[in-house]
Amino acid sequence: MMFGTMLNACNQNNQNTLNMNKIELTQEWDKVFPLSEKVSHKKVTFETQYGFTLAADMYMPKDIKGKLSAIAVSGPFGATKEQSSGLYAMKMAERGFVTLAFDPSFTGESSGEPRRTASPDINTEDFLAAVDFLSKQDIVDANKIGIIGICGWGGIALNATAADPRIKATVASTMYDMSRVSGNGYFDGDNNEQSRHSARENISNQRLNDPMAMAGGVVDPLPADAPQFVKDYHDYYKTPRGYHKRSGNSNDGWRTIGTYAYANTRFLHYINEIRSAVLVMHGEKAHSLYFGQAAFKYMVEGKADGYTFVGQPNPNPENKELLIIPNATHCDLYDGGNNNYIPWDKLQDFFEKNLK
């Protein structure tokens, strides 16, 4: 009798796993940008080492001759592939690359329960699994793969590149260090034991009281005293410019306890050992600029403000670049803003030079 009960429980667990990873892909075009006539597009899925099924959009030049270089793209943190990452992927496909914009685990059309949950380990694996997928495509040269991470996924991209030398070129665009901001607050304003202890108490209570509660996406309507960067987020996520029904940032956000794993870790420890090419790209007027500047400095020198650990200088500093775009804000690098701030020619040159 006990064996039968155990077997039924096992079968139920297996069924739950199957249900967790079963996804349905939207086939109609539902991006926040129009499809370019220069590329072809298809929906695809791939598996991660954690057993999740990720949904992605694959973009390809229409005239393919031989094997091409490829780029995996994700971000911003809390967005979907129908937003900024899809635009980056499509634009780079116009310029001759096979590209893959994917929804991370627990978000968008990808699998994973509870929804809107994040993890430094799982999210890093999401990028590595995307590289696995691209490496197996007949039209891709597996030795010529790069990645682009936007906003919070810029930091995750650096973490993935530090872990995987198959990634030959990396762009971190308007990056956040999610572990730093989660543990220290903006501009390290809560970087003290008392603030972290209070946050831990709140999260612990939330786990018992309502672990499925959502934290809310970008505030709407805007309060009169909202900081400029919150206004910028609203202008992207809450207007036709960037709103999408599957985007957490556009709607009810993350689970209140869903991103806490980032607060209890620091995950860019080994970026000073990245040997491949890296371009950190940030707007001059972005509130998040300090993340990109500090990450770049630590990556090259092995030490920087905001990094409590000290490492050795990078063995290959000559292929690392910090590009600060005049007058651009954080969200201007999501889609170019009103002045086409994203330097597409620069991105093309960077990947062509380093994926050869």
Side-chain angles (χ1 to χ4, degrees):
M1 193 69 175
M2 181 178 293
F3 177 77
T5 301
M6 292 173 61
L7 184 60
N8 288 336
C10 182
N11 289 336
Q12 184 63 49
N13 287 336
N14 289 338
Q15 187 61 47
N16 289 341
T17 300
L18 291 173
N19 291 338
M20 179 184 73
N21 291 327
K22 183 179 181 180
I23 63 176
E24 295 183 5
L25 299 179
T26 301
Q27 294 301 325
E28 67 270 15
W29 184 263
D30 64 347
K31 320 303 180 195
V32 301
F33 52 89
L35 178 61
S36 169
E37 296 180 354
K38 299 178 182 179
V39 305
S40 56
H41 159 265
K42 65 178 179 178
K43 301 290 284 281
V44 298
T45 62
F46 57 95
E47 307 298 318
T48 78
Q49 293 297 314
Y50 287 101
F52 298 111
T53 301
L54 303 193
D57 288 294
M58 190 170 178
Y59 297 88
M60 298 151 285
K62 285 191 172 178
D63 184 20
I64 297 178
K65 296 179 181 178
K67 291 181 178 290
L68 302 181
S69 301
I71 305 169
V73 192
S74 197
F77 197 77
T80 65
K81 64 189 181 303
E82 287 71 34
Q83 297 172 307
S84 183
S85 62
L87 176 66
Y88 271 72
M90 187 183 73
K91 288 292 188 181
M92 298 312 294
E94 286 182 338
R95 293 165 180 268
F97 301 90
V98 175
T99 61
L100 187 75
F102 64 89
D103 284 332
S105 300
F106 304 103
T107 63
E109 293 184 300
S110 291
S111 74
E113 297 288 345
R115 304 303 290 163
R116 310 268 173 77
T117 300
S119 158
D121 289 338
I122 291 174
N123 293 150
T124 299
E125 165 61 20
D126 289 343
F127 251 136
L128 304 188
V131 173
D132 294 342
F133 175 83
L134 286 171
S135 298
K136 298 172 185 176
Q137 303 308 303
D138 291 339
I139 59 174
V140 170
D141 185 332
N143 295 310
K144 299 178 179 180
I145 296 177
I147 62 176
I148 298 174
I150 307 159
C151 188
W153 277 80
I156 297 166
L158 294 179
N159 204 52
T161 301
D164 194 337
R166 294 178 303 166
I167 301 171
K168 304 302 187 206
T170 302
V171 170
S173 179
T174 195
M175 71 160 281
Y176 263 51
D177 178 343
M178 291 306 304
S179 59
R180 180 177 175 182
V181 73
S182 297
N184 296 358
Y186 278 109
F187 304 104
D188 300 318
D190 295 320
N191 187 18
N192 59 80
E193 185 273 340
Q194 181 57 54
S195 293
R196 280 188 284 269
H197 182 74
S198 295
R200 290 162 184 155
E201 286 186 322
N202 291 337
I203 290 295
S204 297
N205 291 332
Q206 187 71 45
R207 291 178 71 98
L208 296 177
N209 295 332
D210 188 1
M212 302 306 294
M214 305 305 290
V218 174
V219 62
D220 187 40
L222 274 172
D225 60 348
Q228 184 58 49
F229 76 91
V230 175
K231 295 178 181 178
D232 292 340
Y233 281 135
H234 186 278
D235 187 54
Y236 182 79
Y237 286 110
K238 290 293 190 175
T239 72
R241 172 185 169 192
Y243 176 84
H244 197 276
K245 62 183 179 181
R246 289 191 295 274
S247 168
N249 294 342
S250 290
N251 296 283
D252 56 357
W254 294 93
R255 276 199 311 143
T256 301
I257 67 172
T259 64
Y260 192 66
Y262 277 94
N264 203 41
T265 187
R266 293 294 177 268
F267 75 145
L268 300 181
H269 191 100
Y270 293 113
I271 62 173
N272 64 310
E273 298 180 0
I274 295 174
R275 297 186 180 185
S276 59
V278 177
L279 170 63
V280 177
M281 183 172 77
H282 233 109
E284 177 191 26
K285 295 184 177 180
H287 68 284
S288 54
L289 176 58
Y290 74 103
F291 290 126
Q293 290 174 321
F296 179 80
K297 184 175 177 64
Y298 177 78
M299 179 171 56
V300 173
E301 299 180 14
K303 57 183 178 180
D305 290 343
Y307 287 72
T308 57
F309 39 86
V310 176
Q312 295 297 314
N314 196 286
N316 295 99
E318 68 282 353
N319 60 5
K320 311 298 186 293
E321 182 177 357
L322 174 63
L323 174 64
I324 299 179
I325 300 171
N327 298 315
T329 67
H330 181 84
C331 293
D332 282 335
L333 297 192
Y334 283 7
D335 61 355
N338 293 324
N339 292 292
N340 298 315
Y341 282 113
I342 300 174
W344 300 114
D345 289 343
K346 170 65 177 179
L347 295 183
Q348 179 179 350
D349 291 344
F350 171 79
F351 282 112
E352 286 180 346
K353 175 182 176 181
N354 294 292
L355 298 180
K356 63 180 182 180

